[in-house]
Amino acid sequence: MTSAIKEQLRGSRLFAGFDEELLEEIATAVSLKRVTKGEMIFYEKDPAFAFFIVYEGKVKVFKLSPEGKEQILLIANPGESFAEAALFGSGHFPASSQALADSSLIVVHQDKFVQLVDKKPVIALKLVVRMAELLHKLNRLVEELSLTDITTRLAHYLTDEVEKSSYEKPLTVTLAEKKTVLASQLGTIPETLSRSFAKLTKDNVIKVDGSVIEILDLDRLYEIAGE
Amino acid sequence: MTSAIKEQLRGSRLFAGFDEELLEEIATAVSLKRVTKGEMIFYEKDPAFAFFIVYEGKVKVFKLSPEGKEQILLIANPGESFAEAALFGSGHFPASSQALADSSLIVVHQDKFVQLVDKKPVIALKLVVRMAELLHKLNRLVEELSLTDITTRLAHYLTDEVEKSSYEKPLTVTLAEKKTVLASQLGTIPETLSRSFAKLTKDNVIKVDGSVIEILDLDRLYEIAGE
DNA sequence: CGGAACGTTGACATATATCAAAGGGAGTGG
DNA sequence: CCACTCCCTTTGATATATGTCAACGTTCCG
């Protein structure tokens, strides 16, 4: 049992590269949890008893407005941790989390983890790297929410996706999320996102076929993204 | 000279509580820099060679849109660090920084600091705490930018300030920043902020006299802030 | 097969940015 | 000590992007 967990830890970005002994110790601080699509993992303001690493599947961390609009703060894919910061802050989760697909999660319990970090501060280094990455993403999200329109955000999202892909012709991006979810990531609603897709299509910058986006004019797309 | 720096380090939240020996080492990794009001400290996309701790004064970290609108990501006051995350990320500053007042800064140079953290990973723990705090602030900023209107943001800002203050009657908040700067923190422009102040005034929730805001109806203010 | 979730489009409402103008306060130099 | 200037702040008129509400077609899944 413990050895299975160790294998999963090794696959995470946070704990990859640690030696056997340390993994062994970490394994005693974690457990596994399976969640089904749509299941809530925690709610905003719940006491933060743990943080999580996605082993398989996909989860979102999000805020809801009183009127029901949703803003996704983070989508975590396999190997990625989430809610780490909650353990070092106010003691409660600052947002809610829900599974976007059937998923299995490594649950890292607070008490044991904090003890462990005190004993082996080298773990904190990995945490710093992950948190720096998250800060960078949030900086950019703030910038986009405050300073750019939605078509620009969409163009920026698409150029990012292109850069993650191989540049095979024809240049296409397959959306990793449903358009509803993408809208919430970009800080808008499905109707508005749909109109932005329509605008880029009308201008012959992209061609949309369901979740497959063909990039017709990459230079133009970068221009619109403001880069 | 070095002992003066040690004193300043001791006063920072990041390095407070460390022992003499460690402070001595950290002191060799830093230098001091004086900047005058309005002076740029770094520009977005500059290579990140260091991070900073405010010893005295006040600085802002911000993004600019192509049209010239500004979004403040962070205001750093004495004892607070900024741009830490740049050292562990892409290697360049993700935003720009400018002094809001004549200030003196502790400059922590990247190479020496990274070596130091490797040698004394306990430093990373303090960094984790600071970064968790920043993540929390940015989470909230994203939430507000995406999900709430500006009067709500202003009300929220004011309730926060009230909570930091002593509750002496009459209940007043003295703005720590010029209203122009506050507007940029809240993700808007001075005109719109001014209208939000006017609305709260008209509804007898607050009374504004320059930078002194008297809270006439705290319950109502919390309601508007959504809490 | 049927229902639910997703996606698109249209008409409309509204919050906020933009542009313009003017008053006031603080600091500076005469 | 006054007067001048600069910046901050406020107010008004207007433009615009985006959210809201509604309807409809499609896809997906049970």
Side-chain angles (χ1 to χ4, degrees), chain A residues 117-137:
Chain A
V117 173
D118 274 337
K119 209 163 62 179
K120 309 271 187 182
V122 67
I123 298 173
L125 267 175
K126 294 287 189 102
L127 215 46
V128 165
V129 171
R130 170 62 173 164
M131 288 168 85
E133 181 186 338
L134 290 171
L135 280 169
H136 187 245
K137 284 190 183 184

Side-chain angles (χ1 to χ4, degrees), chain B residues 15 33 40 51 72-73 79-80 92 120 133 177 195 225:
Chain B
F15 296 136
K33 181 180 174 69
M40 292 298 297
F51 78 92
I72 291 181
L73 296 171
E80 294 177 334
H92 57 77
K120 308 271 187 180
E133 181 186 337
E177 329 292 345
R195 288 182 234 270

Side-chain angles (χ1 to χ4, degrees), chain A residues 44 50 63 97 114-115 124 131 157 163 171 206 211 216 221:
Chain A
E44 181 168 355
K63 295 262 195 177
S97 178
V114 170
Q115 283 168 25
M131 288 168 85
Y157 176 86
E163 286 175 15
L171 212 50
I206 63 174
S211 66
L216 301 177
L221 195 63

Side-chain angles (χ1 to χ4, degrees), chain B residues 144-164:
Chain B
E144 300 210 321
L145 289 172
S146 180
L147 304 178
T148 76
D149 67 27
I150 286 165
T151 304
T152 301
R153 289 180 221 164
L154 173 57
H156 201 162
Y157 177 85
L158 291 173
T159 58
D160 266 17
E161 291 303 306
V162 168
E163 286 174 15
K164 284 192 219 154

Side-chain angles (χ1 to χ4, degrees), chain A residues 149-167:
Chain A
D149 66 27
I150 288 164
T151 304
T152 301
R153 289 179 221 165
L154 173 57
H156 201 163
Y157 176 86
L158 290 173
T159 58
D160 266 17
E161 291 303 306
V162 168
E163 286 175 15
K164 284 193 220 155
S165 74
S166 62
Y167 281 79

Side-chain angles (χ1 to χ4, degrees), chain B residues 141-189:
Chain B
L141 183 54
V142 166
E143 173 184 17
E144 300 210 321
L145 289 172
S146 180
L147 304 178
T148 76
D149 67 27
I150 286 165
T151 304
T152 301
R153 289 180 221 164
L154 173 57
H156 201 162
Y157 177 85
L158 291 173
T159 58
D160 266 17
E161 291 303 306
V162 168
E163 286 174 15
K164 284 192 219 154
S165 74
S166 61
Y167 281 79
E168 285 164 12
K169 299 252 173 171
L171 213 50
T172 63
V173 167
T174 301
L175 300 179
E177 329 292 345
K178 291 224 160 55
K179 285 173 184 166
T180 308
V181 174
L182 179 56
S184 174
Q185 278 185 272
L186 297 181
T188 186
I189 57 177

Side-chain angles (χ1 to χ4, degrees), chain B residues 20-206:
Chain B
E20 274 309 299
E21 187 197 358
L22 195 45
L23 283 177
E24 191 82 47
E25 281 204 63
I26 296 169
T28 68
V30 309
S31 59
L32 287 177
K33 181 180 174 69
R34 299 198 142 272
V35 291
T36 60
K37 181 176 172 174
E39 187 174 339
M40 292 298 297
I41 297 160
F42 52 79
Y43 289 89
E44 182 169 355
K45 295 191 180 154
D46 281 355
F49 60 92
F51 78 92
F52 305 85
I53 300 169
V54 177
Y55 181 63
E56 57 179 8
K58 188 187 297 248
V59 309
K60 67 178 175 187
V61 178
F62 65 99
K63 296 263 196 176
L64 281 181
S65 75
E67 297 79 31
K69 187 184 168 193
E70 174 188 287
Q71 172 67 51
I72 291 181
L73 296 171
L74 174 73
I75 289 187
N77 286 297
E80 294 177 334
S81 53
F82 62 102
E84 320 83 348
L87 297 196
F88 298 91
S90 58
H92 57 77
F93 292 114
S96 304
S97 179
Q98 186 179 26
L100 288 173
D102 292 351
S103 305
S104 54
L105 308 175
I106 301 171
V107 184
V108 186
H109 298 280
Q110 171 161 35
D111 297 350
K112 289 181 183 165
F113 182 69
V114 169
Q115 284 167 26
L116 194 56
V117 173
D118 273 337
K119 208 163 63 177
K120 308 271 187 180
V122 67
I123 298 173
L125 268 176
K126 294 287 189 103
L127 215 47
V128 165
V129 171
R130 170 62 174 164
M131 288 167 87
E133 181 186 337
L134 290 172
L135 281 168
H136 187 245
K137 284 188 184 188
L138 282 175
N139 278 345
R140 175 169 149 188
L141 183 54
V142 166
E143 173 184 17
E144 300 210 321
L145 289 172
S146 180
L147 304 178
T148 76
D149 67 27
I150 286 165
T151 304
T152 301
R153 289 180 221 164
L154 173 57
H156 201 162
Y157 177 85
L158 291 173
T159 58
D160 266 17
E161 291 303 306
V162 168
E163 286 174 15
K164 284 192 219 154
S165 74
S166 61
Y167 281 79
E168 285 164 12
K169 299 252 173 171
L171 213 50
T172 63
V173 167
T174 301
L175 300 179
E177 329 292 345
K178 291 224 160 55
K179 285 173 184 166
T180 308
V181 174
L182 179 56
S184 174
Q185 278 185 272
L186 297 181
T188 186
I189 57 177
E191 292 96 320
T192 302
L193 177 63
S194 180
R195 288 182 234 270
S196 280
F197 270 118
K199 188 183 298 183
L200 291 177
T201 300
K202 184 168 143 298
D203 293 350
N204 292 312
V205 180
I206 63 174

